[in-house]
Amino acid sequence: MRFDRIVVVDWSAAGRPVTGRDSIWIATWTATARGGDVRTANPPTRAAAAAYLQQMVTDALAAGERVLIGADFAFGYPAGFAQALAGRAEALAVWEWLAARIEDDAANRNNRFEVAAGINRALPGVGPFWFRPKALDLPDLPLRGSARRNHGLPDLRAVDVRAPGAQSVWKLGGAGAVGSQALTGLPVLWRLRAAHPGKVAVWPCEDWRAAPVVLAEVYPSLLRAEIAQIMPGNAGGRGRHGWPVRDAVQVRMLALALAGLGDGIAALLEAPNPAVALAEEGWILGVGAEAPLRDAARALGDAALPPPRPEMPEPAPARLTPPRLRNDCFAMPQGVDWVPVDDALARLRAALAPITDTETLRVAEAGGRVLVGDARARRSNPPHPNAAVDGYGFAHASLDGPGSYELPLLAGRAAAGQPFAEAVPPGAALRILTGAILPAGVDTVVLEEDCATDARRVAFDGPVKRGANTRRAGEDVLEGATALPSGRRLTPADLALLSALGVGQVQVVRRLRVGVLSTGDELLADPGAPAAAHQIFDANRPMLLEVVRRWGHAAVDLGHAPDDADAIAARLDHGAGAADVILTSGGASAGDEDHVSRLLRDRARLSSWRIALKPGRPLALALWPGAQGISVPVIGLPGNPVAALVCTLIFGRPALSFLSGAGWAVPQGFMVLAAFSKRKKPGRREYLRARLNDNGEAEVFASEGSGRISGLSWAEGLVELPDGAATIAPGDPVRYLPYAGFGIG
Ligand code: AMP
Ligand code: MG
């Protein structure tokens, strides 16, 4: 068995374009008449690397060549994960799943942490993924590995245990981490495989023997000792020739060593590995057959070192193609028709990224805005010890044991804003009012109602506790302490707290701009206008704009578009500039007139979800390509006002809150007794328009028809019935979600 080209890729999860150390290095060995030739490329982005590999495979296939592509990230995850995530215990199911969700733009900006957090959220316990930049508000992604629990998955694969120094794929960053490489690399390989159907096989999971292109996981550190031979010094050091970057030497050495094996490469590919590797976990090429590989590397001598002067980079591929916009970023795994509400929420969350622009506001103007960075107390509250009541203050040491006391009163008093300048001597007392700073010598206050006084003396009964009726400095909040965490949406009480702590200005996220567009030939925007028989008034737009305003976002009225793809596209183009996210209503199902879905499918990355929700489906989610490559999420709501509002509350609210930087908002609900009867079939979660009667029981609107807007208005909340079957009789407990808990009460 021989390959005409052997490619070794050292991947990088960098968040911006980079070259040199810790960037992407690709060595391509090509068989020639005189043996072989190796070239090294150092593409600055993953998109460029993907384009390079695509072009190379296309060329090789056209020339009838066989190619081995080794990449240095995990091709599989520890046993159990593929099944839990993608419903099949197969490594490639995870590839497909990730390819549908990882977004990685032409400048290396990507959503890998968000996707990992979404996975953690969907799996039991805390974890398995961990590590994130502290600034990212992803509570489901722990900062530390030790914070994980009960996720039930092993940390290492069978092969990791046998590869010295291999790290866990769950760790997404920090020293030596490899997890982010897999998250960003697997989608690239998935697309490479998808672009050449039947030609590309993944070793050892697929039948690779007959495939012209074989993808295999490699681990250049298997040749650690051999690399050290020709490149002494530390990992980042320079070699004898002054120039080489270690990553470049590694990929060259591994490509050359694999090539040097000749037919012997079969021994590596055929090396026995456990069944779990074939199916789920994958294996590292060479683990279990290290000796021949290392011999081949040693035989190379200095040949793995790049030439003394920087090699010319590989000729650029014909065209740098940015990652193709995909149609399935929210796609469900195949064979799944109905998406349960909780899954849809997890996927939605994984697909979105919060806005990050900030502004600085005076605290008094910052209500409803989202804090950037923790707010710290500039001053303690209270700043000084003071009196908690109106009464008489003295030193507790003036009292000896229980009994009645009489203390002489000093002239004057201490009041809030009017401190008593002198010290109160032991054995004397002073009139003191609520909020007054305790004068020197005072540590205890008795309540005036417990005292008798003739203006010269004060008398009261013991026992009196030391420190009674006083407030300690900083007993509420100490100077320097975190008063409010980053991501907090500031409430009226928060403004009180910040002001009390001497915080005059805060940095906040700029307001999220939410566009609202109605679609439908039948709609008439102005409820005051005369209507033809076929026309109805646009009810959704005023409702949704008001919902958005109540949530503290900036509502952007995108008006109304007829059922015409170009007209809707023009509105969305405009909206993509004027808003950060767009809510549309109408045209979201699959019927002939459903231009929104069709348009989004054609021009944006759409996934139309059949969400197991009543009322509600369909719901479309897509990324509309905007200016400067920034895609704007579009949430396509159903046209029926009842379904439109329910979907907005259940999906729109958490999504918009998340986009606005305030984190994923979970609605507040509580159990109440039902004042109604209802039988429901299994399959769809159901939301009934409801309100509490005078006994605090939930009653529901008589008609469930989703065109009944009066019921929406009658209701003061929703009753949530579970996904499964349910029979509700009066007096049974049901979950009630008040409109107020959704922020629209
Ligand atoms: P569609 O999703 O476009 O199929 O619309 C479903 C139903 O909702 C139809 O009866 C529409 O007339 C109605 N509808 C759509 N948009 C609105 C709107 N903005 N206001 C009131 N009703 C609407
Ligand atoms: Mg319509």
Side-chain angles (χ1 to χ4, degrees):
M1 173 176 318
R2 277 189 187 256
F3 291 95
D4 304 294
R5 300 188 197 210
I6 294 178
V7 182
V8 173
V9 182
D10 182 335
W11 200 242
S12 158
R16 55 193 165 74
V18 268
T19 53
R21 271 183 66 191
D22 296 329
S23 63
I24 300 177
W25 285 91
I26 305 178
T28 305
W29 174 87
T30 314
T32 62
R34 278 179 290 117
D37 179 30
V38 67
R39 309 295 306 263
T40 332
N42 184 206
T45 63
R46 285 179 291 278
Y52 175 89
L53 293 173
Q54 284 283 9
Q55 188 67 45
M56 204 266 306
V57 167
T58 303
D59 294 348
L61 289 174
E65 296 175 352
R66 283 203 84 193
V67 187
L68 173 67
I69 300 178
D72 75 332
F73 47 82
F75 277 23
Y77 285 82
F81 178 69
Q83 176 73 44
L85 179 77
R88 281 184 287 146
E90 294 166 26
L92 289 179
V94 177
W95 291 32
E96 180 178 13
W97 196 98
L98 289 174
R101 288 161 185 84
I102 292 283
E103 287 186 44
D104 200 354
D105 74 9
N108 272 354
R109 286 173 298 209
N110 65 83
N111 65 346
R112 66 183 193 274
F113 291 114
E114 287 79 4
V115 170
I119 293 173
N120 276 359
R121 193 171 124 86
L123 296 185
V126 179
F129 285 105
W130 66 279
F131 184 92
R132 66 177 148 90
K134 280 215 181 71
L136 279 185
D137 175 34
L138 295 171
D140 295 309
L141 190 58
L143 287 166
R144 268 183 277 283
S146 57
R148 300 175 302 158
R149 60 195 135 73
N150 302 335
H151 60 75
L153 293 165
D155 252 11
L156 295 176
R157 302 175 296 162
V159 72
D160 298 327
V161 176
R162 298 189 45 186
Q167 291 223 16
S168 164
V169 287
W170 305 129
K171 181 175 152 191
L172 299 183
V178 294
S180 286
Q181 277 84 334
L183 288 180
T184 54
L186 294 175
V188 168
L189 295 187
W190 174 258
R191 284 192 272 274
L192 187 65
R193 180 177 169 282
H196 307 280
K199 306 282 193 215
V200 180
V202 177
W203 177 89
C205 315
E206 292 188 299
D207 182 11
W208 48 272
R209 289 179 184 82
V213 180
V214 178
L215 305 182
E217 178 182 341
V218 295
Y219 185 45
S221 296
L222 289 180
L223 303 179
R224 208 180 267 118
E226 290 69 28
I227 291 163
Q229 282 291 312
I230 60 164
M231 201 179 169
N234 62 28
R238 288 161 177 271
R240 273 183 260 159
H241 295 256
W243 176 66
V245 169
R246 187 183 183 83
D247 315 43
V249 177
Q250 291 195 149
V251 291
R252 288 173 66 96
M253 177 174 275
L254 186 52
L256 284 167
L258 288 168
L261 287 169
D263 288 335
I265 201 165
L268 267 62
L269 290 161
E270 300 284 1
N273 48 51
V276 66
L278 290 175
E280 298 180 61
E281 292 194 338
W283 195 259
I284 294 169
L285 187 63
V287 169
E290 287 88 347
L293 186 64
R294 295 182 58 181
D295 289 345
R298 262 194 300 278
L300 294 172
D302 280 1
L305 289 175
R309 262 171 292 118
E311 218 173 347
M312 290 304 292
E314 280 285 296
R319 195 161 54 89
L320 277 189
T321 29
R324 218 161 33 84
L325 292 184
R326 298 169 49 76
N327 283 332
D328 54 357
C329 65
F330 305 97
M332 288 306 297
Q334 279 169 358
V336 179
D337 257 359
W338 291 88
V339 191
V341 172
D342 288 336
D343 287 13
L345 287 168
R347 283 160 209 276
L348 180 59
R349 179 173 183 170
L352 299 174
I355 59 167
T356 51
D357 297 343
T358 63
E359 57 188 318
T360 301
L361 293 182
R362 293 197 304 115
V363 160
E365 293 163 347
R369 306 298 293 274
V370 178
L371 200 58
V372 175
D374 295 348
R376 293 191 183 285
R378 292 190 49 238
R379 199 175 190 222
S380 293
N381 183 48
H384 298 284
N386 64 37
V389 298
D390 291 349
Y392 297 89
F394 48 85
H396 190 260
S398 312
L399 314 178
D400 46 0
S404 290
Y405 309 102
E406 185 185 305
L407 300 176
L409 268 180
L410 297 186
R413 60 172 204 166
Q418 297 170 13
F420 186 75
E422 290 141 48
V424 174
L430 179 75
R431 173 78 171 139
I432 189 163
L433 300 179
T434 306
I437 289 187
L438 299 185
V442 173
D443 61 9
T444 304
V445 175
V446 280
L447 192 64
E448 68 181 15
E449 287 86 337
D450 294 337
C451 297
T453 178
D454 62 0
R456 287 191 305 110
R457 296 165 301 164
V458 59
F460 51 90
D461 286 338
V464 177
K465 268 207 206 142
R466 184 188 161 92
N469 298 313
T470 65
R471 303 169 178 149
R472 280 175 291 111
E475 70 174 22
D476 182 20
V477 181
L478 269 178
E479 181 183 326
T482 299
L484 293 169
S486 188
R488 168 90 173 182
R489 188 179 290 286
L490 297 175
T491 65
D494 294 342
L495 303 192
L497 178 61
L498 292 173
S499 301
L501 300 177
V503 178
Q505 290 193 324
V506 280
Q507 213 195 353
V508 296
V509 185
R510 75 156 161 80
R511 241 184 244 283
L512 182 77
R513 300 165 306 163
V514 183
V516 176
L517 173 67
S518 288
T519 71
D521 284 339
E522 74 280 31
L523 296 185
L524 198 58
D526 174 8
H534 63 275
Q535 291 182 309
I536 63 169
F537 298 114
D538 182 355
N540 288 341
R541 195 149 44 102
M543 171 174 76
L544 297 175
L545 287 168
E546 176 61 10
V547 166
V548 164
R549 281 191 288 266
R550 290 202 179 199
W551 288 340
H553 311 305
V556 180
D557 188 351
L558 298 178
H560 154 236
D563 284 320
D564 170 77
D566 288 340
I568 299 170
R571 292 276 86 204
L572 291 177
D573 282 341
H574 167 66
D580 304 301
V581 51
I582 299 172
L583 307 179
T584 68
S585 70
S589 55
D592 283 351
E593 291 305 315
D594 295 318
H595 299 283
V596 174
S597 321
R598 192 136 36 88
L599 180 67
L600 294 180
R601 187 168 298 113
D602 293 347
R603 298 238 336 234
R605 288 176 279 175
L606 166 80
S607 120
S608 182
W609 293 353
R610 300 201 334 146
I611 296 178
L613 167 75
K614 186 180 169 191
R617 76 169 187 105
L619 183 74
L621 292 155
L623 294 174
W624 186 259
Q628 280 131 32
I630 298 171
S631 297
V632 177
V634 178
I635 302 184
L637 301 163
N640 278 311
V642 174
L645 185 62
V646 168
C647 281
T648 303
L649 298 183
I650 303 300
F651 295 100
R653 178 169 173 268
L656 298 186
S657 170
F658 187 67
L659 286 168
S660 77
W664 193 257
V666 178
Q668 234 174 25
F670 47 88
M671 301 306 282
V672 299
L673 301 185
F676 63 93
S677 310
K678 161 103 186 154
R679 253 189 124 85
K680 102 174 249 306
K681 288 194 279 220
R684 289 160 76 180
R685 188 173 297 182
E686 217 167 308
Y687 292 94
L688 308 175
R689 280 150 283 170
R691 67 186 188 192
L692 300 183
N693 64 19
D694 292 342
N695 298 327
E697 300 156 345
E699 48 182 328
V700 296
F701 191 63
S703 161
E704 291 184 13
S706 65
R708 305 285 185 102
I709 307 178
S710 64
L712 212 47
S713 166
W714 169 91
E716 291 166 0
L718 303 171
V719 158
E720 180 183 68
L721 300 181
D723 296 357
T727 306
I728 313 285
D732 288 346
V734 289
R735 190 167 148 79
Y736 179 68
L737 310 169
Y739 280 168
F742 288 109
I744 62 161

